[in-house]
Amino acid sequence: MTETPGTAVETPGPVEYRFTWTPEVYNEILARRPPEALGLTGSRKGMIWTVAGAVGLIAVLALLPMAFGLYGGEGGLIALWGAAAALLAVLLVVLPHMRRARIAADLATRARQGEVRVRLSAEGVAMASDHARGLTRWPGVALVSETPRAALIWLGALIAVPVPDAALPEGVTRADVLARIAAWREVAA
């Protein structure tokens, strides 16, 4: 433990570790949706309203011409079923494909960073790689959560720095790291 200059409060020493963005490390973040505490709970509600609105719009567009007698009942029914099939194709095929492509592109970008060096200290979360460098002070950390194989330091609603158990220095456990983070955040608050 080191003593913070000008105070009698002891702060824990830093923790340094290295990791590479592998699919396993990346999946630790993907498996843990952003915590509800970060305010993203409305995203599913938004999706439900979007789908309901699309279904309603399809029904109106298919049934409105029927109401004005622009085409017979069978044509409207065919148009409605065609629109419903198109919506299902978008929901079941296109959107999942776009998500997989976005995740693959994000992982490829992170993998190009090479080895990521992280230093957790009283100052904050310092990260450096071959192509990037940054520091987030503890007041800028939104939340700290856990997955089965890592702790996650959330810098925002969608950005998390993993602290993989396997990357920790010998003799340092996840519980040690979480206790240090809690102490640093308390001092920084």
Side-chain angles (χ1 to χ4, degrees):
M1 298 220 149
T2 60
E3 196 170 300
T4 304
T7 67
V9 176
E10 288 191 21
T11 57
V15 174
E16 295 183 8
Y17 64 95
R18 298 165 182 256
F19 73 93
T20 303
W21 284 105
T22 62
E24 293 76 26
V25 171
Y26 192 77
N27 285 334
E28 284 294 310
I29 294 174
L30 288 181
R32 176 69 164 102
R33 290 183 36 143
E36 290 181 15
L38 296 177
L40 289 181
T41 56
S43 60
R44 281 191 175 174
K45 290 179 187 173
M47 179 60 88
I48 290 169
W49 280 110
T50 301
V51 170
V55 169
L57 181 63
I58 288 171
V60 167
L61 291 176
L63 298 175
L64 197 57
M66 284 176 48
F68 290 108
L70 297 177
Y71 52 77
E74 251 180 62
L77 192 56
I78 291 171
L80 183 61
W81 282 109
L87 179 63
L88 281 174
V90 166
L91 291 175
L92 299 176
V93 177
V94 175
L95 292 179
H97 172 73
M98 288 173 56
R99 181 176 188 271
R100 284 190 303 275
R102 187 184 76 243
I103 288 169
D106 189 35
L107 178 57
T109 299
R110 291 174 191 248
R112 283 192 298 272
Q113 291 180 16
E115 184 179 68
V116 179
R117 299 166 302 281
V118 181
R119 184 174 197 266
L120 307 176
S121 68
E123 190 177 20
V125 180
M127 290 180 55
S129 72
D130 294 341
H131 307 292
R133 178 172 312 227
L135 170 69
T136 300
R137 299 195 187 283
W138 292 113
V141 171
L143 189 71
V144 177
S145 66
E146 296 182 70
T147 69
R149 293 183 299 229
L152 298 176
I153 301 172
W154 293 89
L155 305 181
L158 300 174
I159 301 170
V161 176
V163 185
D165 296 339
L168 293 174
E170 191 170 323
V172 177
T173 66
R174 182 193 305 192
D176 295 335
V177 173
L178 292 175
R180 291 179 195 198
I181 290 171
W184 293 324
R185 290 183 78 194
E186 186 176 321
V187 169

